[in-house]
Amino acid sequence: ARKLAFRLKNEQIDVVYSSTLKRARQTASEILGYYADKPIFYSKDLQEQAPGSNVGKKYGDVDWDNLPPDVETREMLYDRAKLFLEQLLSKYKDETVLVVAHNAFNKALIRVLLDLPRADKTNFKQGNTCVNIFDIDLSRAAKVHVLNCMKHLD
């Protein structure tokens, strides 16, 4: 998190949104060391995909084609990411928003930003503390500048 904060220290950031989960809050806190005057908002909408009764299971032990009804599906996660993005875009027209979230949520948000279908299964790699930078114009078209950058860890 410290290396990520150092990587971001010269970026233009107007507001920060972070997941309420501990790891994301710690990362956001490190980043805010360089942006103490910027507002931060914590949102449950940025949490990782809800595992339901699969909590504690290894990835390979989960039947991803037959999930229990209490598990948040990819489509549900996509819808959550889309709603979050729509709220951000309606509130922040010309500001730079930093979002500190988690792997599956990041992937869903990228799908939304790239206007991919809900069921798209493109595997966007998202390493821990990776940086993704998008410009979103007034028509809500997204331009990718950086995707899964982890140079700060070298």
Side-chain angles (χ1 to χ4, degrees), residues 1-8 23-28 30-31 98-103 106 125-133 146-154:
R2 259 187 222 114
K3 289 180 179 182
L4 173 62
F6 187 76
R7 153 71 171 86
L8 295 174
R23 189 176 72 231
R25 290 176 67 97
Q26 290 170 335
T27 301
E30 286 289 337
I31 295 166
L98 173 70
V99 175
V100 182
H102 305 276
N103 184 24
N106 288 350
K125 184 158 177 54
Q126 292 290 280
N128 287 336
T129 75
C130 73
V131 174
N132 301 303
I133 300 176
V146 175
L147 192 62
N148 194 43
C149 178
M150 298 181 59
K151 291 180 185 177
H152 55 280
L153 297 180
D154 292 342

Side-chain angles (χ1 to χ4, degrees), residues 62-75:
V62 174
D63 180 357
W64 293 99
D65 293 321
N66 297 297
L67 294 172
D70 64 340
V71 174
E72 184 177 32
T73 65
R74 291 173 63 105
E75 291 78 17

Side-chain angles (χ1 to χ4, degrees), residues 85-139:
L85 182 63
E86 288 170 356
Q87 291 169 346
L88 279 188
L89 293 175
S90 68
K91 189 170 184 176
Y92 303 102
K93 302 285 187 227
D94 295 314
E95 291 87 5
T96 300
V97 179
L98 173 70
V99 175
V100 182
H102 305 276
N103 184 24
F105 182 85
N106 288 350
K107 291 176 181 181
L109 189 58
I110 291 167
R111 283 181 182 84
V112 172
L113 284 163
L114 298 179
D115 200 28
L116 296 173
R118 287 171 82 223
D120 180 81
K121 293 189 178 186
T122 305
N123 186 15
F124 295 101
K125 184 158 177 54
Q126 292 290 280
N128 287 336
T129 75
C130 73
V131 174
N132 301 303
I133 300 176
F134 293 86
D135 267 341
I136 304 168
D137 65 24
L138 293 176
S139 71

